[in-house]
Amino acid sequence: MFKRPIFAALLVLTVLAPIRAADKEAPKSNKPAVIVRLAALDHLRSNLRYLTEVVGEAEKAKQLDELIKSKLGEKGLQGIDATKPLGAYGWIGQFGIDSQAVFLVPIADKKAFLDLLSDTLDVKPEKGDDDVYTMNVEKLPVTIYFRFANGYAYITARDKEVLDKDKLRAPAAVLAGGQVGVASITVHIDEVPAGLKENALAVIENQLADLKEREMVGHSEAQKKFRDAAVDELSAQIKLLFQHGGAATLRLDLDRKDGDLSLTASVAGKPGSPLADKIRALGQIQSWTAALVHPNSALKGELNMSLPQKLRGLLGPVLRDMEKQMLAKAKDENQREVLNTLLEGIMPTLKAAELDTAIDLRGPNDKGLYTLVAGIKVKDGTKMERSFLKAAARFPKLINLDAEKVEQVNIHRINPDNNTNSGAQRTLGNNPVYVAFQHEVLFLSAGEKGLSALKEALAAAPRTGKVIELQMALARLTPLFDNPEQVDIARQVFGDGKGGDRLRLSIEGGNALTLHLFLKTKLIDYVNRVEKAKKK
C-alpha cells in the first residue's frame, strides 16, 4: 500500500476532511465556507529551497531537494501539472464532522494520473457511467470519488454528489489570480452553521468569565471594574464577529526575485452590517500625526485608536487613582506642585481615551546621529500648553519659551544639560528638544535637525492614518547597537544596498480589517547569523 508517501498524505487529507455523521443535512448554500489555495508544486518546491538557502543552509537545501525527489519516486507525480496551483473548497456541516470537501489537483495527463493512482494505492479506479471514478482503498474506511473537468481532478470522499457537473466550482473561482500566493485560506464566517458558532462562543465566554474571577492584588476597586468591563467589551466584539462576520483570509506571499516575504490576515463584515460599518470607519481615520513619515526613516510608528464609549466612563476613576499614587511618590512639595501642574494639562487627554500619535526616527547622518520627531493629539491643547508654560517658568535656564515661531505657533526650546542621558546624547547628539502645540496636537522634536523637522511637521496637513503601523530599516539602526559583532553581521548581510533591511507591520480598516506583515528575506538571514554567533 501507499508507495509514494507524499501522494498518500494528500489522499489521507482528502479522506479526513469530509468525514461526516450518518445523518447528513444539505449545505445551506452553494457558497463554500472554506477555500484553500496552494501555489503550483514547482513553485512550492522552489520556495522551500530558496528559504533554506536564505538562512545559509545551501547544502541542506540541496539535500532536502534530493529527499523530496526520492519520496516522489522515479516517475515523480506523473500526470499532475506541477506548474498550476492546487486548491480545495468545502462546506461546514452543522455537526462539524458532517462537512464536505473537494480537492482540486491540476492534471497534465489523465492516463498518467490514473496510472499514478494504481501504482501508488494498488487499486484501479473504476469509471462510472456518470464519468465519476470510484476507488475503494484498502484500510481506508471511506470510498474515494473523483472526476476530470476544467483541467483538474476534483477529488472527494463519501459525498459523490458534490462532483455533479452542475456543482463543480471552476478553477478560476477557487484559484482566482492574485489570491493564491504561496498559500492562503479563506473562511466565510457567515457560511459557518449558527449552532457551531454558538457553541464556540459559549466556550470563549466561559474562558473570559474566568478572567473576571481572578483577583487583582494591589489594584483599586476602580481598576477591577475597568478590567471586568474590558472583558465584557471583548466578549461583545467576538460575538459581533460571529454574528456579522464575512470573509476571513490568511495568506502567505513570497517574491524570490525581490526577496519579499509577507503575511496578510483580513476579516470583513457582511455588507450593511454593524461590523462592516465599524471596519469601514477604521479606514477613514483622519490623523494630524500620520504625515510625520519621512523617506529617510530608520524607525517609524503610528497609532490611531480609541476606547469604546462604555469603557471611557470607567476610565476617570482609574486615572484619579493613578494620579493620587504619582503625587504621593513625589520627593518634596516643589516636585509635587510641578507634577500636579503637568497632570492638570494631561488628564483631559487621558480621559478622552482617543489616541492619535506617531513617532519618526530619521537618519543616521554622517556623524551617526539621528533626528526624532513625534506628535500626539491632545484634548484641550490650550489648557495643556498653559500647564506646560506654568511648569516651564520654574526652569528659565533649562527651557526657553517662545524661542522660535512659525506663523502663529510658538516653539519652545529645552536645552541640553549635564543630566541628559548618555544614550540619548549618543543617538541625538548634544542638541535641544523642541516643543510646540498646534491644532490640538503636541509636537516634539530633537536631534541634529530637530528644529527643521518640527517646522516641517507643523506645516503638514492631516491625512488618512492607519490603526497601527510600524516600519523599521534595520541597517539604519546599527549605530545604536552595543554589540560590534551584530553591526558587522548587518554590514555583511545588507551591504550598501537600500531597502533590503525593511520590516513593516500595519493594521488598517476599509473594506476589511487587515493585518499586513512585510519583511525582506535578508532580515531572516541576519537573525539566523546573529543566533549562530551567540552559540559560538
Side-chain angles (χ1 to χ4, degrees), residues 82 86 96-97 101 119 131 162-163 188 202 235 274 292 307 353 363 389 488 502:
L86 300 92
I97 60 172
D119 293 343
D131 293 331
V162 299
L163 298 184
H188 292 279
S235 178
L292 296 183
L307 279 181
L389 296 176
D488 185 55
R502 296 281 175 176

Side-chain angles (χ1 to χ4, degrees), residues 201 235-245 273-276 278:
L201 185 61
S235 178
Q237 294 303 317
I238 295 174
K239 186 175 183 180
L240 186 70
L241 175 63
F242 280 24
Q243 290 178 339
H244 301 290
S273 68
L275 179 61
K278 281 192 171 187

Side-chain angles (χ1 to χ4, degrees), residues 97-160:
I97 60 172
D98 58 336
S99 301
Q100 299 172 319
V102 178
F103 288 76
L104 277 72
V105 178
I107 299 300
D109 186 313
K110 294 179 184 179
K111 183 180 182 305
F113 180 71
L114 293 172
D115 291 341
L116 171 67
L117 294 177
S118 298
D119 293 343
T120 303
L121 305 175
D122 289 328
V123 61
K124 183 178 180 180
E126 299 292 337
K127 184 178 181 180
D129 295 336
D130 55 359
D131 293 331
V132 174
Y133 290 82
T134 301
M135 291 193 306
N136 290 296
V137 182
E138 183 183 357
K139 295 185 180 180
L140 287 184
V142 293
T143 300
I144 305 298
Y145 301 98
F146 68 92
R147 78 181 308 149
F148 297 112
N150 307 315
Y152 278 78
Y154 289 71
I155 307 172
T156 191
R158 289 187 181 271
D159 299 314
K160 181 181 178 181

Side-chain angles (χ1 to χ4, degrees), residues 344-412:
E344 285 180 358
I346 294 172
M347 277 301 167
T349 298
L350 296 179
K351 290 178 180 179
E354 295 178 352
L355 198 56
D356 172 359
T357 186
I359 184 170
D360 190 35
L361 184 66
R362 304 168 185 175
N365 61 14
D366 54 2
K367 301 176 184 177
L369 298 177
Y370 296 83
T371 296
L372 174 72
V373 60
I376 182 170
K377 183 179 178 181
V378 297
K379 183 75 172 178
D380 197 349
T382 302
K383 182 178 180 180
M384 178 177 283
E385 185 169 18
R386 284 200 302 265
S387 296
F388 172 80
L389 296 176
K390 184 178 179 181
R394 294 172 171 268
F395 310 97
K397 293 183 179 180
L398 179 64
I399 304 175
N400 298 138
L401 300 176
D402 305 337
E404 299 278 346
K405 193 165 188 174
V406 176
E407 296 184 354
Q408 301 302 314
V409 180
N410 292 316
I411 299 177
H412 315 294

Side-chain angles (χ1 to χ4, degrees), residues 201 203-214 216 223-239 307-308 310-311 314:
L201 185 61
V203 172
I204 294 172
E205 288 178 338
N206 285 335
Q207 294 294 323
L208 293 177
D210 289 342
L211 290 178
K212 295 169 65 174
E213 297 298 322
R214 295 181 184 178
M216 294 179 64
Q223 291 170 328
K224 293 177 182 177
K225 287 182 178 180
F226 185 83
R227 187 273 311 270
D228 292 348
V231 171
D232 290 340
E233 182 63 28
L234 176 59
S235 178
Q237 294 303 317
I238 295 174
K239 186 175 183 180
L307 279 181
K310 292 181 181 179
L311 295 179
L314 297 172

